[in-house]
Amino acid sequence: MADLSADGRARLLDITRVRLFYSASVTPFAGMAFIVWFYLQGQDISWLLVELAAYLLGVWRLFVLRRRYLADRASLDSEKVLEKWLPVVKRIAVLHGFGLALVVFLTAGKVTFEFAAVLHITYAGTIAANATHQTPVWGVFLRFFLCCWGPVVLMMPWTVPEHWHFVLLMGVLFGVAMYRHGITSHRFFLQQMKLEEDSAALAKRFRAAKEEAERALQDKNRFLTTASHDLRQPVHAMGFLIQAIAHRNRDETLKDPIQDLQQSVRSVDLMFNSLLDLSKMETGAVTAQRTPVLLDAIVEDVATTFREEANSRGLDLRIRIARKEAVVLGDASLIRRCLINLTHNALRYTAHGGVLLSVRHRQGNWLLEVWDTGIGVALEEQKSIYTPFYRNAYSWGIDSAGHGLGLAMVARSAKIMGAGYGLDSKEGRGSRFWLSLPAMKQLKAGHAASGNAMNTSLNRLTLLTGSCLVIDDDPLVTRAWQSLMEAWGIEVRCAASGTEAFGLLRDGFLPQAILCDQRLRSGESGFEVFQALLEACPESGGAMVSGEFHSPVLEQAERDGYLVLRKPLQPPQLHAVLSQWLEPGEAASESDCSGSAG
């Protein structure tokens, strides 16, 4: 017991006490049968009645001790319980053992062989039962065993005088067997208690590690939530600057490198968005809408987005759409993000052949599938492919840029929507990733399905005529705003605060469009500045442009009907928004319009 804690030793004492108190309590009631039998043999039962009375008094005393013991267990620590009650339990074991042996002493030489045999068999059964259940505390059982069975064996020449040679030998052998059995039982109890303590310690360490991991996850999500604006700023600026360079480019030899640069920025954008999407899902900031969604429009849009990338790598990107309109119940933004990540993943790991995006009707659901002829996924790795940060062994030899986030985001999104997802793959031959979404039988009159998307591929963008005011406090971003809008023919002014913006208005600048960041280093609320500017320029259109994905202010602004655009903002998306407020300019030449989304 030295290896056990005080709590463990106290629990062993609990088990031993219960067994000992039970054994002592039932003894006088079992002994009444032997007293009656002894009386029927014409013997004097006076001393046996005295012992019975003493036992009954002891049973009453045990009930009192039991209440005190339980009270102490509830109020005292384990060390004090052991110190106070272990000697008491050991004394009770001694008294109980001698009490049983006394019956043999009082009846020795006065009863028939049959009486003595039944009495000895009863004692043997009592010893055997206690050798199994009373041994958690070895000292308690040993005292009971020696004080009971020891005197019984020593008195056998008087209790069974005609057969004592054989009975004595059997008694000694039985005693040795019970002693060894008691040791085995004691070791079993110690092992069980040690196992419980080890399990409890392991569970405690596990809970501590789990709580630490959850705190780390919360800290990471809190960091991403807080820093998302600053993290998105450089990606946002790069997209605009590359688009502006593409518009001004006149050198055909730079066209392909610029397109490669655009694709690289788009890959960064996709991975960055996947990371932030995962964080939003982990914090519960993402909830799925169940609205009618037109899959065909999403598939066509995503295919258009990636077609230039596929062509530049010599891959064939095709789509296969069902003959009838594919409308599902789901969240259009989550479905689009899933298909973007699956397509991006398929193109990344496909060196030859192509990628197919398909929509098929199966058993009341629509299957949204992405087929590829890439490296495939080994069978033993398929169970892990949707976990965060997992990349199979072959992927490292092809592309070290990924971080295993895209497929994890797909899995989380599918669970949020209640959609099925999975893959079928053969190593070296390709893979099929799929989403299963519940089909809508028919749209009600006046209800339109969402799914029309902003085309973010290589587009010929028209020039625009008009003026735009941008409020953003990051010099790199404002230069990107200015470079891109000037390339589109827009007169643009940039301000870092509300004070600067109203200063431009006082100087006579009248914007037709106002774009304002939410987080300004001046400490002002971008949304309050934006509202004040719209009030001062009632004929102007405008939108909030922010990298914060969990801002209560912006969420309330959207509910109030204001347009909120998220960074990194795709140039074609910005162009389409500005086209609502500005007039079209002269058609751009082919060289001017060779840019694409960053």
Side-chain angles (χ1 to χ4, degrees):
M1 291 177 63
D3 294 337
L4 296 177
S5 65
D7 290 337
R9 287 182 282 125
R11 289 201 297 273
L12 292 178
L13 180 61
D14 292 340
I15 300 172
T16 299
R17 180 202 64 79
V18 169
R19 177 62 200 181
L20 177 63
F21 281 25
Y22 173 78
S23 177
S25 299
V26 300
T27 293
F29 301 100
M32 290 179 183
F34 285 98
I35 293 174
V36 172
W37 192 1
F38 191 69
Y39 174 77
L40 293 176
Q41 292 184 6
Q43 302 294 332
D44 183 9
I45 60 172
S46 301
W47 286 107
L48 290 177
L49 291 176
V50 171
E51 182 181 6
L52 178 63
Y55 250 107
L56 291 174
L57 182 63
V59 170
W60 173 80
R61 181 63 177 169
L62 288 180
F63 279 109
V64 174
L65 290 176
R66 175 182 175 275
R67 287 196 297 270
R68 292 179 180 176
Y69 179 86
L70 293 178
D72 285 345
R73 281 295 277 142
S75 60
L76 301 178
D77 60 53
S78 298
E79 287 285 2
K80 291 182 178 179
V81 169
L82 289 168
E83 181 181 353
K84 177 179 179 179
W85 283 97
L86 185 56
V88 174
V89 174
K90 288 179 177 179
R91 286 196 295 271
I92 293 173
V94 170
L95 292 174
H96 181 38
F98 277 129
L100 288 176
L102 184 60
V103 176
V104 177
F105 176 79
L106 294 175
T107 60
K110 302 176 183 178
V111 293
T112 63
F113 176 76
E114 289 79 6
F115 184 97
V118 172
L119 183 62
H120 283 73
I121 291 171
T122 302
Y123 281 11
T126 303
I127 295 295
N130 283 277
T132 300
H133 301 291
Q134 200 188 92
T135 53
V137 180
W138 177 248
V140 174
F141 171 74
L142 187 61
R143 284 167 173 76
F144 168 75
F145 175 70
L146 294 177
C147 293
C148 177
W149 194 248
V152 169
V153 172
L154 292 176
M155 286 188 292
M156 281 180 178
W158 289 273
T159 55
V160 282
E162 296 179 359
H163 308 285
W164 72 270
H165 306 84
F166 306 105
V167 177
L168 180 62
L169 178 61
M170 293 174 61
V172 171
L173 293 176
F174 177 79
V176 172
M178 289 300 99
Y179 181 83
R180 291 174 62 87
H181 176 61
I183 291 177
T184 302
S185 298
H186 174 63
R187 289 174 179 170
F188 171 77
F189 280 110
L190 290 182
Q191 290 173 353
Q192 289 297 109
M193 193 57 61
K194 182 65 175 175
L195 182 61
E196 285 185 19
E197 290 194 339
D198 291 343
S199 300
L202 183 61
K204 184 177 180 180
R205 290 197 296 271
F206 173 78
R207 285 193 298 270
K210 182 174 180 290
E211 290 171 359
E212 183 178 355
E214 289 176 346
R215 284 195 298 270
L217 179 62
Q218 291 171 358
D219 291 341
K220 182 265 293 181
N221 290 335
R222 193 178 301 113
F223 166 77
L224 289 175
T225 301
T226 304
S228 63
H229 174 271
D230 296 333
L231 291 173
R232 288 178 181 267
Q233 290 286 75
V235 180
H236 177 72
M238 279 192 294
F240 282 10
L241 289 172
I242 293 170
Q243 181 74 25
I245 293 171
H247 269 271
R248 290 181 172 88
N249 178 48
R250 297 295 186 272
D251 190 345
E252 286 297 321
T253 62
L254 294 179
K255 184 176 180 180
D256 290 339
I258 290 174
Q259 289 179 346
D260 291 340
L261 183 58
Q262 289 170 330
Q263 291 170 10
S264 297
V265 173
R266 182 169 57 191
S267 295
V268 172
D269 186 16
L270 286 172
M271 285 189 292
F272 185 73
N273 284 334
S274 296
L275 177 63
L276 293 179
D277 286 342
L278 272 176
S279 298
K280 287 190 288 184
M281 292 173 186
E282 287 168 351
T283 58
V286 175
T287 56
Q289 299 179 355
R290 290 183 62 83
T291 58
V293 179
L294 184 61
L295 292 183
D296 297 351
I298 293 178
V299 170
E300 290 173 352
D301 173 66
V302 172
T304 304
T305 301
F306 286 97
R307 183 160 284 115
E308 185 64 30
E309 178 180 347
N311 293 338
S312 68
R313 298 180 56 187
L315 300 175
D316 184 20
L317 178 59
R318 296 181 297 146
I319 63 173
R320 180 185 297 161
I321 299 175
R323 295 180 179 178
K324 60 180 181 178
E325 197 173 60
V327 181
V328 299
L329 275 177
D331 188 295
S333 61
L334 290 180
I335 295 172
R336 185 187 314 283
R337 176 59 60 186
C338 288
L339 186 57
I340 287 173
N341 283 346
L342 291 177
T343 306
H344 182 69
N345 186 75
L347 289 172
R348 172 179 289 171
Y349 301 126
T350 301
H352 307 285
V355 173
L356 171 67
L357 312 184
S358 76
V359 178
R360 294 193 295 168
H361 192 264
R362 288 292 183 274
Q363 298 178 348
N365 294 327
W366 283 103
L367 278 182
L368 186 58
E369 301 168 303
V370 177
W371 301 72
D372 66 64
T373 57
I375 59 175
V377 182
L379 183 62
E380 62 273 13
E381 295 183 309
Q382 292 183 13
K383 292 182 179 180
S384 306
I385 200 71
Y386 281 103
T387 57
F389 306 105
Y390 180 82
R391 300 186 70 202
N392 65 54
Y394 291 100
S395 65
W396 293 101
I398 294 176
D399 183 0
S400 61
H403 293 82
L405 293 171
L407 293 181
M409 197 286 298
V410 171
R412 297 285 179 88
S413 299
K415 291 177 181 178
I416 290 174
M417 293 188 292
Y421 68 96
L423 81 153
D424 300 306
S425 183
K426 290 186 178 180
E427 196 171 359
R429 298 185 60 182
S431 304
R432 177 183 75 101
F433 290 85
W434 53 268
L435 286 174
S436 178
L437 298 152
M440 282 198 67
K441 294 182 179 180
Q442 188 176 0
L443 283 177
K444 295 181 180 180
H447 287 236
S450 60
N452 294 326
M454 193 61 58
N455 191 339
T456 60
S457 66
L458 188 64
N459 287 321
R460 298 183 179 275
L461 302 175
T462 60
L463 295 180
L464 299 172
T465 299
S467 57
C468 180
L469 174 60
V470 176
I471 302 92
D472 198 305
D473 58 5
D474 190 316
L476 176 63
V477 175
T478 55
R479 286 196 295 270
W481 277 110
Q482 193 161 3
S483 179
L484 178 60
M485 290 195 178
E486 288 176 352
W488 286 343
I490 302 171
E491 182 185 1
V492 61
R493 297 289 187 273
C494 296
S497 65
T499 302
E500 291 185 19
F502 279 101
L504 292 172
L505 296 184
R506 286 193 298 270
D507 291 340
F509 181 72
L510 183 61
Q512 295 169 266
I514 300 172
L515 302 174
C516 185
D517 191 11
Q518 165 61 12
R519 186 183 300 181
L520 301 175
R521 293 176 189 171
S522 59
E524 297 172 294
S525 166
F527 183 56
E528 291 179 0
V529 171
F530 177 65
Q531 288 178 306
L533 288 170
L534 288 181
E535 185 176 349
C537 306
E539 300 299 324
S540 301
M544 294 295 297
V545 183
S546 178
E548 299 183 56
F549 64 74
H550 192 46
S551 168
V553 174
L554 295 179
E555 290 173 0
Q556 184 60 47
E558 287 185 295
R559 286 193 291 269
D560 291 342
Y562 291 94
L563 177 61
V564 178
L565 304 175
R566 304 291 177 177
K567 295 180 181 178
L569 184 60
Q570 300 292 335
Q573 183 184 7
L574 173 63
H575 187 279
V577 171
L578 291 175
S579 297
Q580 301 177 45
W581 305 316
L582 307 180
E583 297 296 326
E586 296 180 1
S589 65
E590 184 173 346
S591 61
D592 285 340
C593 301
S594 59
S596 67

mmCIF file of all heavy atoms in Angstrom, residues 24-36 45-60 99 102-103 106:
data_model
loop_
_atom_site.group_PDB
_atom_site.id
_atom_site.type_symbol
_atom_site.label_atom_id
_atom_site.label_comp_id
_atom_site.label_asym_id
_atom_site.label_seq_id
_atom_site.Cartn_x
_atom_site.Cartn_y
_atom_site.Cartn_z
ATOM 1 N N ALA A 24 -19.276 -9.456 10.818
ATOM 2 C CA ALA A 24 -19.547 -9.456 12.262
ATOM 3 C C ALA A 24 -21.032 -9.303 12.559
ATOM 4 O O ALA A 24 -21.544 -9.855 13.546
ATOM 5 C CB ALA A 24 -18.755 -8.330 12.927
ATOM 6 N N SER A 25 -21.751 -8.592 11.711
ATOM 7 C CA SER A 25 -23.174 -8.340 11.968
ATOM 8 C C SER A 25 -24.033 -9.568 11.732
ATOM 9 O O SER A 25 -25.047 -9.760 12.434
ATOM 10 C CB SER A 25 -23.660 -7.191 11.072
ATOM 11 O OG SER A 25 -22.956 -6.006 11.347
ATOM 12 N N VAL A 26 -23.690 -10.418 10.751
ATOM 13 C CA VAL A 26 -24.520 -11.590 10.463
ATOM 14 C C VAL A 26 -24.140 -12.783 11.327
ATOM 15 O O VAL A 26 -24.905 -13.767 11.400
ATOM 16 C CB VAL A 26 -24.413 -11.980 8.973
ATOM 17 C CG1 VAL A 26 -24.871 -10.845 8.093
ATOM 18 C CG2 VAL A 26 -23.005 -12.426 8.613
ATOM 19 N N THR A 27 -22.999 -12.729 11.991
ATOM 20 C CA THR A 27 -22.535 -13.877 12.779
ATOM 21 C C THR A 27 -23.520 -14.290 13.875
ATOM 22 O O THR A 27 -23.833 -15.493 14.014
ATOM 23 C CB THR A 27 -21.150 -13.585 13.382
ATOM 24 O OG1 THR A 27 -20.198 -13.496 12.315
ATOM 25 C CG2 THR A 27 -20.728 -14.684 14.350
ATOM 26 N N PRO A 28 -24.044 -13.356 14.717
ATOM 27 C CA PRO A 28 -24.955 -13.807 15.788
ATOM 28 C C PRO A 28 -26.226 -14.456 15.252
ATOM 29 O O PRO A 28 -26.767 -15.384 15.878
ATOM 30 C CB PRO A 28 -25.263 -12.521 16.565
ATOM 31 C CG PRO A 28 -24.939 -11.401 15.624
ATOM 32 C CD PRO A 28 -23.807 -11.893 14.801
ATOM 33 N N PHE A 29 -26.711 -14.012 14.091
ATOM 34 C CA PHE A 29 -27.932 -14.600 13.552
ATOM 35 C C PHE A 29 -27.667 -16.002 13.009
ATOM 36 O O PHE A 29 -28.506 -16.892 13.139
ATOM 37 C CB PHE A 29 -28.490 -13.690 12.457
ATOM 38 C CG PHE A 29 -28.793 -12.305 12.957
ATOM 39 C CD1 PHE A 29 -27.913 -11.255 12.720
ATOM 40 C CD2 PHE A 29 -29.949 -12.058 13.675
ATOM 41 C CE1 PHE A 29 -28.189 -9.986 13.184
ATOM 42 C CE2 PHE A 29 -30.235 -10.783 14.143
ATOM 43 C CZ PHE A 29 -29.340 -9.739 13.903
ATOM 44 N N ALA A 30 -26.502 -16.217 12.405
ATOM 45 C CA ALA A 30 -26.134 -17.569 11.967
ATOM 46 C C ALA A 30 -25.847 -18.466 13.174
ATOM 47 O O ALA A 30 -26.142 -19.669 13.159
ATOM 48 C CB ALA A 30 -24.909 -17.499 11.055
ATOM 49 N N GLY A 31 -25.283 -17.846 14.257
ATOM 50 C CA GLY A 31 -24.940 -18.634 15.448
ATOM 51 C C GLY A 31 -26.145 -19.137 16.205
ATOM 52 O O GLY A 31 -26.054 -20.129 16.969
ATOM 53 N N MET A 32 -27.317 -18.507 16.050
ATOM 54 C CA MET A 32 -28.517 -18.953 16.764
ATOM 55 C C MET A 32 -28.866 -20.391 16.398
ATOM 56 O O MET A 32 -29.335 -21.170 17.259
ATOM 57 C CB MET A 32 -29.688 -18.021 16.444
ATOM 58 C CG MET A 32 -29.557 -16.638 17.054
ATOM 59 S SD MET A 32 -30.958 -15.571 16.604
ATOM 60 C CE MET A 32 -30.467 -14.033 17.369
ATOM 61 N N ALA A 33 -28.653 -20.769 15.112
ATOM 62 C CA ALA A 33 -28.969 -22.137 14.698
ATOM 63 C C ALA A 33 -28.099 -23.138 15.447
ATOM 64 O O ALA A 33 -28.582 -24.207 15.871
ATOM 65 C CB ALA A 33 -28.781 -22.272 13.195
ATOM 66 N N PHE A 34 -26.810 -22.819 15.621
ATOM 67 C CA PHE A 34 -25.918 -23.731 16.345
ATOM 68 C C PHE A 34 -26.270 -23.787 17.832
ATOM 69 O O PHE A 34 -26.143 -24.832 18.477
ATOM 70 C CB PHE A 34 -24.466 -23.281 16.179
ATOM 71 C CG PHE A 34 -23.909 -23.585 14.818
ATOM 72 C CD1 PHE A 34 -23.873 -22.621 13.837
ATOM 73 C CD2 PHE A 34 -23.448 -24.878 14.525
ATOM 74 C CE1 PHE A 34 -23.376 -22.901 12.587
ATOM 75 C CE2 PHE A 34 -22.949 -25.166 13.272
ATOM 76 C CZ PHE A 34 -22.910 -24.182 12.285
ATOM 77 N N ILE A 35 -26.747 -22.666 18.418
ATOM 78 C CA ILE A 35 -27.145 -22.670 19.835
ATOM 79 C C ILE A 35 -28.348 -23.596 20.039
ATOM 80 O O ILE A 35 -28.400 -24.393 21.009
ATOM 81 C CB ILE A 35 -27.460 -21.242 20.297
ATOM 82 C CG1 ILE A 35 -26.179 -20.387 20.304
ATOM 83 C CG2 ILE A 35 -28.091 -21.247 21.681
ATOM 84 C CD1 ILE A 35 -26.427 -18.921 20.624
ATOM 85 N N VAL A 36 -29.319 -23.503 19.119
ATOM 86 C CA VAL A 36 -30.495 -24.376 19.224
ATOM 87 C C VAL A 36 -30.089 -25.842 19.087
ATOM 88 O O VAL A 36 -30.532 -26.712 19.849
ATOM 89 C CB VAL A 36 -31.538 -23.986 18.156
ATOM 90 C CG1 VAL A 36 -32.678 -25.006 18.136
ATOM 91 C CG2 VAL A 36 -32.080 -22.588 18.418
ATOM 92 N N ILE A 45 -26.388 -24.135 27.516
ATOM 93 C CA ILE A 45 -26.125 -23.072 26.519
ATOM 94 C C ILE A 45 -25.921 -21.724 27.186
ATOM 95 O O ILE A 45 -25.950 -20.687 26.514
ATOM 96 C CB ILE A 45 -27.279 -22.992 25.510
ATOM 97 C CG1 ILE A 45 -28.601 -22.662 26.235
ATOM 98 C CG2 ILE A 45 -27.405 -24.274 24.699
ATOM 99 C CD1 ILE A 45 -29.750 -22.378 25.277
ATOM 100 N N SER A 46 -25.686 -21.674 28.461
ATOM 101 C CA SER A 46 -25.581 -20.400 29.175
ATOM 102 C C SER A 46 -24.462 -19.528 28.614
ATOM 103 O O SER A 46 -24.650 -18.336 28.318
ATOM 104 C CB SER A 46 -25.341 -20.656 30.674
ATOM 105 O OG SER A 46 -26.398 -21.407 31.215
ATOM 106 N N TRP A 47 -23.278 -20.114 28.489
ATOM 107 C CA TRP A 47 -22.139 -19.313 27.996
ATOM 108 C C TRP A 47 -22.317 -18.901 26.522
ATOM 109 O O TRP A 47 -21.894 -17.824 26.113
ATOM 110 C CB TRP A 47 -20.822 -20.087 28.170
ATOM 111 C CG TRP A 47 -20.379 -20.134 29.610
ATOM 112 C CD1 TRP A 47 -20.411 -21.214 30.459
ATOM 113 C CD2 TRP A 47 -19.863 -19.031 30.341
ATOM 114 N NE1 TRP A 47 -19.947 -20.865 31.692
ATOM 115 C CE2 TRP A 47 -19.603 -19.512 31.662
ATOM 116 C CE3 TRP A 47 -19.626 -17.681 30.068
ATOM 117 C CZ2 TRP A 47 -19.094 -18.682 32.661
ATOM 118 C CZ3 TRP A 47 -19.103 -16.877 31.078
ATOM 119 C CH2 TRP A 47 -18.846 -17.377 32.358
ATOM 120 N N LEU A 48 -22.986 -19.780 25.788
ATOM 121 C CA LEU A 48 -23.251 -19.401 24.388
ATOM 122 C C LEU A 48 -24.225 -18.240 24.306
ATOM 123 O O LEU A 48 -24.086 -17.367 23.439
ATOM 124 C CB LEU A 48 -23.815 -20.602 23.615
ATOM 125 C CG LEU A 48 -22.830 -21.752 23.330
ATOM 126 C CD1 LEU A 48 -23.542 -22.886 22.619
ATOM 127 C CD2 LEU A 48 -21.664 -21.239 22.473
ATOM 128 N N LEU A 49 -25.206 -18.193 25.213
ATOM 129 C CA LEU A 49 -26.139 -17.070 25.223
ATOM 130 C C LEU A 49 -25.425 -15.779 25.643
ATOM 131 O O LEU A 49 -25.733 -14.698 25.128
ATOM 132 C CB LEU A 49 -27.303 -17.367 26.168
ATOM 133 C CG LEU A 49 -28.264 -18.481 25.702
ATOM 134 C CD1 LEU A 49 -29.325 -18.748 26.774
ATOM 135 C CD2 LEU A 49 -28.935 -18.066 24.383
ATOM 136 N N VAL A 50 -24.473 -15.922 26.565
ATOM 137 C CA VAL A 50 -23.690 -14.742 26.956
ATOM 138 C C VAL A 50 -22.908 -14.195 25.748
ATOM 139 O O VAL A 50 -22.872 -12.987 25.494
ATOM 140 C CB VAL A 50 -22.738 -15.087 28.117
ATOM 141 C CG1 VAL A 50 -21.779 -13.924 28.371
ATOM 142 C CG2 VAL A 50 -23.532 -15.408 29.372
ATOM 143 N N GLU A 51 -22.295 -15.137 25.016
ATOM 144 C CA GLU A 51 -21.541 -14.691 23.837
ATOM 145 C C GLU A 51 -22.481 -14.080 22.795
ATOM 146 O O GLU A 51 -22.158 -13.067 22.145
ATOM 147 C CB GLU A 51 -20.774 -15.851 23.218
ATOM 148 C CG GLU A 51 -19.939 -15.404 22.022
ATOM 149 C CD GLU A 51 -19.185 -16.545 21.357
ATOM 150 O OE1 GLU A 51 -19.366 -17.708 21.729
ATOM 151 O OE2 GLU A 51 -18.414 -16.236 20.412
ATOM 152 N N LEU A 52 -23.686 -14.690 22.614
ATOM 153 C CA LEU A 52 -24.640 -14.132 21.656
ATOM 154 C C LEU A 52 -25.036 -12.722 22.052
ATOM 155 O O LEU A 52 -25.129 -11.815 21.188
ATOM 156 C CB LEU A 52 -25.875 -15.039 21.604
ATOM 157 C CG LEU A 52 -27.010 -14.563 20.683
ATOM 158 C CD1 LEU A 52 -26.542 -14.517 19.229
ATOM 159 C CD2 LEU A 52 -28.227 -15.481 20.826
ATOM 160 N N ALA A 53 -25.279 -12.501 23.334
ATOM 161 C CA ALA A 53 -25.626 -11.158 23.804
ATOM 162 C C ALA A 53 -24.488 -10.178 23.544
ATOM 163 O O ALA A 53 -24.712 -9.029 23.137
ATOM 164 C CB ALA A 53 -25.975 -11.204 25.300
ATOM 165 N N ALA A 54 -23.258 -10.631 23.772
ATOM 166 C CA ALA A 54 -22.103 -9.766 23.528
ATOM 167 C C ALA A 54 -22.002 -9.414 22.039
ATOM 168 O O ALA A 54 -21.699 -8.262 21.678
ATOM 169 C CB ALA A 54 -20.831 -10.451 24.009
ATOM 170 N N TYR A 55 -22.258 -10.400 21.207
ATOM 171 C CA TYR A 55 -22.212 -10.135 19.764
ATOM 172 C C TYR A 55 -23.297 -9.147 19.344
ATOM 173 O O TYR A 55 -23.062 -8.235 18.534
ATOM 174 C CB TYR A 55 -22.357 -11.444 18.990
ATOM 175 C CG TYR A 55 -21.070 -11.854 18.285
ATOM 176 C CD1 TYR A 55 -20.314 -12.915 18.762
ATOM 177 C CD2 TYR A 55 -20.640 -11.187 17.141
ATOM 178 C CE1 TYR A 55 -19.138 -13.295 18.121
ATOM 179 C CE2 TYR A 55 -19.480 -11.557 16.503
ATOM 180 C CZ TYR A 55 -18.718 -12.613 16.992
ATOM 181 O OH TYR A 55 -17.561 -12.976 16.366
ATOM 182 N N LEU A 56 -24.514 -9.331 19.889
ATOM 183 C CA LEU A 56 -25.600 -8.417 19.533
ATOM 184 C C LEU A 56 -25.295 -6.999 19.998
ATOM 185 O O LEU A 56 -25.588 -6.024 19.296
ATOM 186 C CB LEU A 56 -26.910 -8.906 20.150
ATOM 187 C CG LEU A 56 -27.473 -10.201 19.546
ATOM 188 C CD1 LEU A 56 -28.698 -10.668 20.340
ATOM 189 C CD2 LEU A 56 -27.849 -9.974 18.071
ATOM 190 N N LEU A 57 -24.684 -6.870 21.170
ATOM 191 C CA LEU A 57 -24.256 -5.565 21.642
ATOM 192 C C LEU A 57 -23.190 -4.987 20.700
ATOM 193 O O LEU A 57 -23.186 -3.789 20.394
ATOM 194 C CB LEU A 57 -23.712 -5.674 23.073
ATOM 195 C CG LEU A 57 -23.255 -4.355 23.721
ATOM 196 C CD1 LEU A 57 -24.444 -3.387 23.860
ATOM 197 C CD2 LEU A 57 -22.628 -4.623 25.094
ATOM 198 N N GLY A 58 -22.319 -5.876 20.238
ATOM 199 C CA GLY A 58 -21.279 -5.440 19.301
ATOM 200 C C GLY A 58 -21.871 -4.974 17.975
ATOM 201 O O GLY A 58 -21.371 -4.016 17.361
ATOM 202 N N VAL A 59 -22.938 -5.657 17.521
ATOM 203 C CA VAL A 59 -23.584 -5.246 16.277
ATOM 204 C C VAL A 59 -24.171 -3.852 16.410
ATOM 205 O O VAL A 59 -24.037 -3.003 15.506
ATOM 206 C CB VAL A 59 -24.677 -6.259 15.877
ATOM 207 C CG1 VAL A 59 -25.522 -5.720 14.734
ATOM 208 C CG2 VAL A 59 -24.049 -7.594 15.513
ATOM 209 N N TRP A 60 -24.799 -3.571 17.547
ATOM 210 C CA TRP A 60 -25.320 -2.216 17.775
ATOM 211 C C TRP A 60 -24.196 -1.195 17.760
ATOM 212 O O TRP A 60 -24.312 -0.102 17.186
ATOM 213 C CB TRP A 60 -26.055 -2.171 19.120
ATOM 214 C CG TRP A 60 -26.469 -0.769 19.506
ATOM 215 C CD1 TRP A 60 -27.541 -0.069 19.059
ATOM 216 C CD2 TRP A 60 -25.769 0.097 20.406
ATOM 217 N NE1 TRP A 60 -27.585 1.177 19.621
ATOM 218 C CE2 TRP A 60 -26.491 1.316 20.460
ATOM 219 C CE3 TRP A 60 -24.613 -0.049 21.185
ATOM 220 C CZ2 TRP A 60 -26.087 2.381 21.259
ATOM 221 C CZ3 TRP A 60 -24.217 1.010 21.977
ATOM 222 C CH2 TRP A 60 -24.942 2.214 22.000
ATOM 223 N N GLY A 99 -14.014 -14.025 18.727
ATOM 224 C CA GLY A 99 -15.414 -14.325 19.031
ATOM 225 C C GLY A 99 -15.872 -15.596 18.332
ATOM 226 O O GLY A 99 -16.579 -16.430 18.932
ATOM 227 N N LEU A 102 -14.220 -18.623 19.951
ATOM 228 C CA LEU A 102 -14.745 -18.931 21.278
ATOM 229 C C LEU A 102 -15.867 -19.956 21.225
ATOM 230 O O LEU A 102 -16.031 -20.779 22.146
ATOM 231 C CB LEU A 102 -15.229 -17.628 21.929
ATOM 232 C CG LEU A 102 -15.731 -17.753 23.378
ATOM 233 C CD1 LEU A 102 -14.620 -18.279 24.302
ATOM 234 C CD2 LEU A 102 -16.239 -16.404 23.874
ATOM 235 N N VAL A 103 -16.668 -19.932 20.152
ATOM 236 C CA VAL A 103 -17.746 -20.919 20.016
ATOM 237 C C VAL A 103 -17.171 -22.329 19.966
ATOM 238 O O VAL A 103 -17.703 -23.267 20.582
ATOM 239 C CB VAL A 103 -18.572 -20.621 18.758
ATOM 240 C CG1 VAL A 103 -19.628 -21.702 18.546
ATOM 241 C CG2 VAL A 103 -19.234 -19.251 18.865
ATOM 242 N N LEU A 106 -16.097 -23.318 23.487
ATOM 243 C CA LEU A 106 -17.205 -23.616 24.402
ATOM 244 C C LEU A 106 -17.914 -24.922 24.072
ATOM 245 O O LEU A 106 -18.607 -25.495 24.946
ATOM 246 C CB LEU A 106 -18.223 -22.464 24.356
ATOM 247 C CG LEU A 106 -17.743 -21.109 24.898
ATOM 248 C CD1 LEU A 106 -18.798 -20.039 24.690
ATOM 249 C CD2 LEU A 106 -17.392 -21.233 26.398
#
